[in-house]
Amino acid sequence: MTDIEKLQKMYDESSYVVFFGGAGVSTESGIPDFRSADGLYNMHYSVPPEVILSHSYFMTHPEEFYRFYRDKLLNPDVKPNIAHLKLAEMEQKGKLKAVITQNIDGLHEKAGSKNVYNLHGSVYLNHCMNCGKPFSFTDMLSCKGVPHCTCGGIIKPDVVLYEEPLNESTVNGAVRHIMNADMLIVAGTSLTVYPAAGLIRYFRGRNSVLINRDLNVGDDEFSLVIHGKVGEVLGKLRA
């Protein structure tokens, strides 16, 4: 039996499927990941990306933060790939109950997924740090320099920066689904970003699957491991 056939069998015998995804889900859409050899963390900047994307750097160097943010994290032209579209189809058929993602690109929603838990927030949500007024993705794209609200406050993306906690209600919702799942599909993640990666330990079901391009330290903890591109693998699954 091939790995795809094993995946199909697990999927067919499951009734509560949950998907947990990382950067590798979006790389096939042209969005670079962070930790691979050609990822953002291996690009050369005067300040490392993980410093630029920290709360303290945002507060002290907002101009530099926004230069990097607009250049590397706002991707208005990217489209959902096969993985995003297949997951939306799986949800529509009723078997996939939740998508939990570490990505901030909004591609799951663009593909049509409804029950999405954005652990690290979304570039499509922004707010004034002073009055709380919301601002759109287009607002952030169109302004220059540090964006300010009409009240004078700085506008901040609703993305979780380093040194910031995850949203409690988002985490609680994700954990609830993982605990209820009888199949957990983990894909496109190195499982090294905590606390998000730690959520999969709440899984108590029978079928756990890891789909990832590279070898992971925790590969032996899954029922099935498939090394490959997430879209190519999920594209072969009959929803």
Side-chain angles (χ1 to χ4, degrees):
M1 186 181 292
T2 67
D3 285 343
I4 297 299
E5 289 171 337
K6 291 176 184 175
L7 176 63
Q8 187 69 57
K9 183 175 185 296
M10 288 181 179
Y11 182 77
D12 290 343
E13 66 187 22
S14 301
S15 59
Y16 199 120
V17 181
V18 170
F19 180 86
F20 182 101
V25 179
S26 292
T27 51
E28 290 169 77
S29 291
I31 295 178
D33 67 4
F34 278 73
R35 288 175 171 75
S36 68
D38 54 352
L40 288 180
Y41 282 177
N42 290 297
M43 295 179 180
H44 297 291
Y45 294 91
S46 57
V47 179
E50 57 265 42
V51 174
I52 298 174
L53 295 174
S54 68
H55 177 82
S56 55
Y57 194 85
F58 171 81
M59 297 301 294
T60 56
H61 300 82
E63 298 88 356
E64 289 84 353
F65 170 89
Y66 269 107
R67 190 176 301 122
F68 179 90
Y69 181 75
R70 288 195 183 93
D71 186 34
K72 298 299 180 184
L73 298 182
L74 295 186
N75 301 284
D77 299 323
V78 295
K79 294 178 171 57
N81 62 52
I82 296 171
H84 300 105
L85 296 171
K86 177 62 72 171
L87 291 166
E89 179 189 355
M90 290 161 64
E91 183 188 65
Q92 193 174 32
K93 296 287 181 65
K95 188 169 285 194
L96 181 70
K97 305 302 183 184
V99 168
I100 302 163
T101 180
Q102 295 172 288
N103 299 333
I104 60 174
D105 51 44
L107 289 178
H108 287 294
E109 289 89 343
K110 276 189 178 181
S113 290
K114 305 298 184 187
N115 200 26
V116 181
Y117 291 82
N118 292 295
L119 293 176
H120 295 149
S122 171
V123 295
Y124 285 87
L125 299 173
N126 310 273
H127 71 279
C128 171
M129 296 178 70
N130 184 37
C131 71
K133 181 181 176 181
F135 289 85
S136 71
F137 182 82
T138 305
D139 292 331
M140 304 301 279
L141 273 180
S142 60
C143 64
K144 304 295 183 184
V146 180
H148 285 83
C149 177
T150 51
C151 77
I154 292 179
I155 301 169
K156 183 182 182 296
D158 287 352
V159 298
V160 180
L161 303 177
Y162 288 98
E163 305 166 350
E164 294 179 345
L166 301 184
N167 180 276
E168 187 175 353
S169 63
T170 302
V171 171
N172 289 342
V175 167
R176 185 177 68 253
H177 281 292
I178 291 172
M179 291 180 70
N180 288 332
D182 56 9
M183 181 178 187
L184 177 65
I185 302 174
V186 178
T189 174
S190 60
L191 294 176
T192 57
V193 179
Y194 285 83
L199 300 186
I200 65 172
R201 73 177 184 270
Y202 290 100
F203 179 64
R204 298 291 182 266
R206 182 169 60 165
N207 295 321
S208 58
V209 180
L210 176 65
I211 306 168
N212 200 38
R213 186 184 65 181
D214 304 316
L215 293 170
N216 273 19
V217 175
D219 280 8
D220 56 355
E221 298 175 10
F222 291 84
S223 310
L224 174 64
V225 176
I226 302 176
H227 291 124
K229 293 182 177 180
V230 182
E232 291 181 1
V233 174
L234 290 182
K236 298 172 182 175
L237 188 67
R238 296 187 309 276

